[in-house]
Amino acid sequence: MRKHTGLGSALLASAAFILCSGMTNGDVPVKHPAVKKNIAKHAVVETSRMAWWSKARFGMFIHWGVYSVPAGVYDGKKMPGLGEWIMHDGKIPVDTYQAYAKDFNPTAYDPEKWVQLAKATGVKYIVITTKHHDGFAMFDSKASDWNIVKRTPYGKDVIKMLADACRKYGMKLGFYYSQANDWNNPGGAAAGGHWDKKQDGSFDTYLDKVAIPQIKEILNNYGDVAELWWDVPTDMTKERAAKITPLLKDHPNIITNNRLGGDVQGDLETPEQYIPATGIPGRYWETCMTMNDTWGFKTYDDHWKSSKTLIRNLIDIASKGGNYLLNVGPKSTGEFPEQSVERLKDMGAWMKVNSEAIYGTTASPFKKLTWGRVTTKELPNGNTILYLHVFDWPANHDLIVPGLKNKTISATVLATGSSLEIRGVNEGLSLALYGSALDQNATVIKLQIKGKPDVETVIPSANADGSFVLNPDDADTKGGVQSEHNPPNLGYWTNPKATASWQIKITKPGTYAVAAPVAAASEGNKIFIQVGNQTLTGNILNTGSDGHYTLHGFGFIKIDKPGINTITVTPVAENWQHINLREVHFNFDK
């Protein structure tokens, strides 16, 4: 994976290419009839290339390679950072790193067991690393002998074995391939530069002699490829990317992401380790995320997300129209870590009951709900099902669905089928919930309404004492700033032209004290906070890191107008680096 999630995605200039079938360089002359290649299918191929992907909502990422041998430890020291980046971070010499391959012997590898677990979890497709940045091919490559068949005592093509298992069980299979970064094959790129003379060479020669031949191998030797996942386009120019895109013309159903480089847009945006607050309108997107802190296996990374967090991440992503690509980093033995298996089984148990509310759904019509998330499904008759994923069971047993104007048909608990009473209220409608939540992860209510959702945006009001807090999830953002992580914050705020704005109903006009928890890794950042014709300048201190938040007091601002006001936060361009903003507090002063 990328070492730094702040790297920009390659989506600026639209260099999207049309994927169509055609003749290869090896085709026979025109006078002979063309022979159509029979490609083994892993799963049913939909008529529309993106149809299956849009319905799936849930995929499994697998990061597996030689880096699982050191497993985060080099020269007797626990290395910080990502497990699969250990060679780079430790500046391990080529010969030293390649010696790890002698200990890579995954005799416990059982691809059918992997696929069966994925299916039981509710996963619809798998994406596995065929070659990561260390350049080690997990398949039998003719382009480089730095591969699992030629360099390990195991000596088998694990990608072929997984492809066979996926075909057997009807699981779609995609491949991750590091097209640019390669720290072992001479000439391969290295983010930050080489550290061993054995890495030196021509990048173009590497591209022509290793990367492109290997891309051909993974495209043509393992059956149909559902998704091709590029990563970290170091040194990838438009001209270099143009050598790769034609390789896809014989694979019209393949889906690609936005990390090839050279301004190639691909099909998918790939937010890494965060969930975009409002999704990515107008683009397909896939949040890739780890269960702990690393992609490749590390023996001592015990910072595991709970099963509840993973289930709610899946729901949150589906509610915003995206897919969840959840990572597993197998051990060098070929086994999934026990902690991963436990969490996957928990997710599978929830999906067994509630998968209807995930598969084939579209984004929520609600901007924000205090009690959970919503996914939607349009019915053939023009009506709509709203799946209400209740995270926080209401203490008064009344679930308010704010702003919904449609006539309702029915409301039932998805797990039991029991009917719920529907009442109209000023805020929208209320569902009478009795007892306690059936599932502490999320209890799903199936609400069927007439027609397409018609939702009136509900603007939050200040508290009775006049105070209010502006939260990241409520912000309308422009210019690249986005809500991310848990707890949420407005991050990636690198563009001084990016803004965040909120609407709030002011109950008490007057003077407000303004403060905010902010993190910044540099001095000199300032922001403008504007309400009407009033502007307050906030000075941001260096807090030591992007993750260390301190409460900044910015002074006072006057809000004259009661009712709906718009509050906007804008960077001061001079000296702007970037900040992470958790929320903005307005406390009524007088």
Side-chain angles (χ1 to χ4, degrees):
M1 293 301 296
R2 293 184 296 179
K3 183 179 177 66
H4 305 292
T5 58
L7 291 177
S9 61
L11 57 84
L12 297 178
S14 178
F17 47 89
I18 299 173
L19 300 175
C20 57
S21 61
M23 297 178 67
T24 66
N25 291 334
D27 283 331
V28 293
V30 175
K31 63 181 181 179
H32 297 295
V35 178
K36 185 176 180 180
K37 185 174 180 180
N38 184 21
I39 300 177
K41 302 297 181 185
H42 294 122
V44 175
V45 176
E46 303 260 3
T47 303
S48 168
R49 186 167 58 89
M50 297 301 298
W52 72 266
W53 186 94
S54 298
K55 295 174 183 176
R57 293 292 171 239
F58 193 12
M60 177 183 286
F61 220 172
I62 299 176
H63 276 67
W64 194 30
V66 167
Y67 41 81
S68 63
V69 174
V73 178
Y74 172 57
D75 198 22
K77 299 176 183 177
K78 293 179 179 179
M79 298 293 294
L82 302 172
E84 71 281 5
W85 278 74
I86 189 170
M87 182 181 181
H88 178 280
D89 293 348
K91 297 297 181 279
I92 302 175
V94 169
D95 289 343
T96 303
Y97 188 83
Q98 290 193 0
Y100 287 129
K102 298 175 183 177
D103 296 319
F104 190 40
N105 191 22
T107 55
Y109 174 52
D110 185 344
E112 291 197 12
K113 187 176 180 180
W114 283 15
V115 176
Q116 288 173 322
L117 177 59
K119 287 182 73 71
T121 302
V123 162
K124 290 296 187 180
Y125 61 105
I126 293 172
V127 178
I128 188 171
T129 51
T130 57
K131 177 181 82 86
H132 208 275
H133 307 324
D134 64 352
F136 185 75
M138 295 291 285
F139 57 96
D140 187 9
S141 176
K142 303 299 186 290
S144 170
D145 68 357
W146 177 231
N147 68 66
I148 191 170
V149 174
K150 297 180 176 67
R151 292 293 192 94
T152 74
Y154 190 66
K156 299 176 186 177
D157 187 333
V158 297
I159 299 300
K160 181 181 185 304
M161 296 165 71
L162 181 61
D164 290 344
C166 285
R167 271 191 295 276
K168 180 175 179 179
Y169 293 101
M171 176 67 70
K172 286 185 175 290
L173 180 63
F175 295 146
Y176 169 112
Y177 185 84
S178 175
Q179 75 281 6
N181 277 261
D182 189 318
W183 309 324
N184 275 276
N185 287 297
H194 294 154
W195 57 90
D196 186 328
K197 289 184 177 180
K198 288 195 172 182
Q199 298 170 320
D200 293 344
S202 164
F203 180 74
D204 286 302
T205 299
Y206 155 77
L207 205 62
D208 293 339
K209 300 297 184 182
V210 178
I212 289 175
Q214 286 188 337
I215 293 167
K216 291 178 180 178
E217 288 173 336
I218 62 174
L219 285 174
N220 297 316
N221 295 347
Y222 299 98
D224 64 313
V225 180
E227 186 174 323
L228 195 52
W229 223 95
W230 312 113
D231 200 18
V232 188
T234 306
D235 297 333
M236 287 295 295
T237 62
K238 289 183 178 181
E239 293 74 21
R240 288 164 174 164
K243 293 182 177 182
I244 293 176
T245 53
L247 304 180
L248 304 176
K249 67 184 178 69
D250 290 326
H251 305 272
N253 292 314
I254 202 168
I255 294 168
T256 62
N257 73 352
N258 63 329
R259 299 191 186 186
L260 177 62
D263 292 336
V264 175
Q265 191 176 28
D267 300 300
L268 305 175
E269 297 301 306
T270 52
E272 183 172 327
Q273 298 285 42
Y274 74 94
I275 302 170
T278 56
I280 304 178
R283 288 283 287 166
Y284 296 105
W285 60 278
E286 179 179 70
T287 281
C288 53
M289 194 175 287
T290 55
M291 291 193 197
N292 50 1
D293 288 334
T294 186
W295 303 92
F297 178 69
K298 290 175 71 172
T299 55
Y300 58 90
D301 183 358
D302 295 321
H303 190 207
W304 295 92
K305 298 176 181 71
S306 67
S307 297
K308 176 187 281 189
T309 295
L310 298 177
I311 290 169
R312 290 188 175 184
N313 282 346
L314 172 61
I315 295 167
D316 191 20
I317 290 166
S319 78
K320 293 166 182 172
N323 282 15
Y324 194 22
L325 191 60
L326 182 61
N327 185 72
V328 179
K331 302 176 183 179
S332 64
T333 59
E335 299 166 294
F336 284 3
E338 296 80 0
Q339 299 92 332
S340 295
V341 174
E342 291 170 5
R343 285 155 177 78
L344 292 172
K345 288 182 176 179
D346 288 343
M347 296 184 81
W350 187 88
M351 286 290 283
K352 187 175 182 180
V353 176
N354 300 290
S355 61
E356 174 189 330
I358 299 295
Y359 300 143
T361 60
T362 52
S364 172
F366 302 92
K367 183 175 180 181
K368 182 183 179 182
L369 294 165
T370 58
W371 43 258
R373 301 290 185 270
V374 169
T375 53
T376 67
K377 189 174 291 182
E378 187 175 340
L379 299 174
N381 62 6
N383 294 331
T384 305
I385 296 173
L386 301 179
Y387 295 100
L388 316 181
H389 301 257
V390 184
F391 295 170
D392 299 314
W393 202 256
N396 64 359
H397 303 293
D398 285 332
L399 186 73
I400 303 297
V401 185
L404 184 63
K405 299 168 70 175
N406 300 73
K407 291 182 179 180
T408 56
I409 298 171
S410 63
T412 57
V413 179
L414 184 59
T416 64
S418 57
S419 297
L420 299 174
E421 181 185 350
I422 305 171
R423 297 190 297 266
V425 294
N426 290 336
E427 299 94 327
L429 65 85
S430 171
L431 301 178
L433 305 183
Y434 301 103
S436 57
L438 294 181
D439 193 311
Q440 295 303 312
N441 301 299
T443 301
V444 180
I445 308 299
K446 184 176 179 179
L447 176 64
Q448 191 171 164
I449 61 173
K450 284 279 189 181
K452 295 182 179 180
D454 183 6
V455 176
E456 182 179 5
T457 300
V458 177
I459 297 173
S461 294
N463 300 320
D465 64 358
S467 65
F468 57 93
V469 177
L470 304 178
N471 296 302
D473 286 346
D474 293 329
D476 289 317
T477 60
K478 296 179 180 178
V481 62
Q482 56 203 15
S483 178
E484 55 171 357
H485 301 305
N486 188 22
N489 66 83
L490 290 174
Y492 293 110
W493 208 330
T494 57
N495 182 1
K497 295 182 179 180
T499 63
S501 62
W502 296 259
Q503 285 192 314
I504 185 81
K505 289 181 182 177
I506 298 298
T507 56
K508 295 177 67 174
T511 301
Y512 286 79
V514 183
V518 187
S522 60
E523 292 284 355
N525 293 293
K526 295 181 181 181
I527 56 174
F528 290 135
I529 301 168
Q530 185 173 1
V531 187
N533 60 2
Q534 301 289 312
T535 301
L536 176 65
T537 302
N539 296 307
I540 310 297
L541 302 176
N542 183 350
T543 65
S545 75
D546 291 336
H548 182 224
Y549 289 81
T550 62
L551 186 65
H552 288 60
F554 295 139
F556 298 88
I557 194 168
K558 192 172 183 180
I559 303 178
D560 294 321
K561 189 180 80 170
I564 298 173
N565 279 255
T566 299
I567 299 174
T568 303
V569 176
T570 307
V572 177
E574 185 179 2
N575 298 322
W576 183 258
Q577 298 297 316
H578 73 275
I579 66 169
N580 290 338
L581 178 68
R582 181 147 289 168
E583 55 198 12
V584 186
H585 300 253
F586 285 74
N587 293 311
F588 186 77
D589 183 63
K590 58 183 178 180

